């Protein structure tokens, strides 16, 4: 599908809800087009379109020009989120599947907003943005219908944050920059708190492409949380509070890796 080529990041959303019904709508003041069953339906707020499993729907959601747009997806009564990009609804395994195709930088800002601990300083958010972007470039095709999902299985992702938010600014300040090793973007891992020392892939029983993870000392103590490989979010926030820049944070948790524009 041409939409996927234009928008490099694809994310299956709402799969935890195993949806039998989905709804697509334009945000207030917007229009969207739903392409389904051989016809194009223009929807103007507050109109919406409901997809039911029984109808075996297959649809794409775009702007009036066939490209990216702002749209709202819901599992009625369960969850509603706004997205920017194009949407896809299909049927598989007795449930509906919703896929959002989006620009890499929109995905990075959305992930930084969803994944960062509360109160993380700007330098830590910038380090998180580079790590999230590296993962997006290096770890693709993890799901049948998309590269990624919106849960911690891949990276947690909600609606894009406002453009003037610290999360969008952290993405913007590091735009296009990724961690590289042997000239290739690395599948950059991170977790909440390493407990004082990060772990190797072998110690954590994980695999990741492109980088031989090292166990590094970390200034964050406390009880470990997460797989403890790669960037420690707690430690990164503490380093930033003590004045470390985002490059210094990344050099600490990913020794030997470079930072390049992609
Ligand atoms: Zn996933
Ligand atoms: Zn740590």
């Amino acid at each position: 599908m041409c939409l996927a080529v234009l928008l490099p990041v694809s994310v299956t959303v709402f799969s935890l809800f195993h949806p039998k019904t989905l709804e697509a709508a334009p945000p207030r003041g917007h229009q969207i087009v739903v392409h389904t069953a051989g016809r194009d339906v223009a929807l103007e707020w507050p109109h919406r379109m409901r997809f039911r499993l029984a109808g075996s729907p297959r649809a794409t959601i775009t702007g009036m020009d066939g490209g990216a747009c702002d749209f709202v997806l819901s599992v009625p009564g369960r969850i509603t989120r706004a997205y920017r990009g194009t949407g896809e609804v299909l049927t598989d395994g007795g449930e509906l599947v919703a896929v959002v195709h989006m620009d890499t930088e929109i995905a990075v800002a959305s992930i930084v907003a969803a994944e960062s601990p509360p109160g993380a300083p700007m330098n830590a958010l910038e380090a998180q943005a580079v790590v999230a972007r590296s993962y997006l470039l290096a770890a693709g095709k993890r799901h049948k219908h998309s590269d990624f999902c919106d849960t911690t299985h891949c990276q947690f992702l909600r609606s894009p944050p406002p453009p003037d938010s610290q999360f969008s600014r952290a993405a913007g300040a590091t735009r296009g920059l990724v961690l590289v090793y042997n000239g290739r973007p690395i599948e950059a891992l991170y977790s909440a708190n390493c407990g004082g020392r990060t772990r190797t892939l072998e110690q954590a029983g994980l695999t990741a492409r492109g980088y031989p993870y090292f166990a590094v000392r970390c200034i964050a103590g406390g009880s470990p949380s997460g797989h403890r490989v790669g960037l420690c979010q707690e430690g990164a926030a503490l380093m930033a509070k003590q004045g470390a820049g985002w490059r210094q944070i990344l050099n600490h948790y990913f020794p030997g890796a470079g930072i390049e524009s992609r």
Side-chain angles (χ1 to χ4, degrees):
M1 191 174 69
C2 64
L3 301 170
V5 176
L6 289 170
L7 298 164
V9 175
S10 60
V11 182
T12 297
V13 300
F14 301 161
S15 57
L16 292 178
F17 295 90
H18 306 289
K20 303 281 192 281
T21 308
L22 283 167
E23 236 172 43
R28 181 185 284 266
H30 288 246
Q31 283 184 320
I32 61 172
V33 180
V34 179
H35 312 262
T36 186
R39 65 198 181 110
D40 294 349
V41 181
L43 288 179
E44 198 164 333
W45 188 87
H47 295 284
R48 53 195 56 225
M49 186 173 285
R50 186 167 277 212
F51 305 97
R52 289 182 180 82
L53 182 63
S56 300
R58 184 162 189 104
T60 57
I61 300 157
T62 72
M64 301 299 282
D65 62 357
C69 63
D70 288 305
F71 63 98
V72 178
L73 273 183
S74 312
V75 180
R78 305 291 302 278
I79 187 169
T80 296
R81 281 195 179 139
Y83 295 104
R84 178 166 305 154
T86 60
E88 204 182 336
V89 174
L90 53 103
T91 312
D92 192 11
E95 55 191 69
L96 295 176
V97 179
V99 178
V100 180
H101 300 264
M102 64 187 88
D103 176 76
T104 304
E105 296 301 323
I106 295 280
V108 169
S110 304
I111 292 163
V112 173
E115 286 275 8
S116 297
M122 194 61 182
N123 292 350
L125 297 179
E126 288 164 347
Q128 177 75 62
V130 175
V131 169
R133 188 181 295 108
S134 307
Y135 188 89
L136 289 175
L137 265 67
K141 209 55 206 170
R142 287 169 57 84
H143 290 269
K144 184 175 173 188
H145 300 291
S146 65
D147 287 326
F148 304 104
C149 68
D150 62 349
T151 78
T152 52
H153 169 262
C154 290
Q155 300 190 87
F156 192 29
L157 177 143
R158 292 183 292 227
S159 301
D164 61 350
S165 66
Q166 57 182 345
F167 312 112
S168 298
R169 286 189 286 118
T174 60
R175 187 180 176 84
L177 295 176
V178 294
L179 286 159
V180 296
Y181 192 78
N182 289 334
R184 302 244 282 275
I186 71 176
E187 196 172 317
L189 302 181
Y190 55 94
S191 64
N193 190 344
C194 74
R197 191 174 185 85
T198 68
R199 297 198 294 185
T200 64
L201 291 170
E202 194 179 15
Q203 286 170 334
L206 294 176
T207 56
R209 276 170 275 181
Y211 183 69
Y213 281 83
F214 306 98
V216 301
R217 286 182 63 83
C218 173
I219 57 172
S223 31
S225 167
H227 54 57
R228 302 159 62 191
V229 178
L231 180 94
C232 167
Q233 292 177 311
E234 193 75 31
L238 281 174
M239 283 182 75
K241 279 176 188 147
Q242 294 180 3
W246 62 267
R247 286 178 185 272
Q248 205 179 334
I249 294 169
L250 294 176
N251 288 339
H252 179 78
Y253 290 104
F254 298 91
I259 296 164
E260 289 180 9
S261 182
R262 290 298 152 103

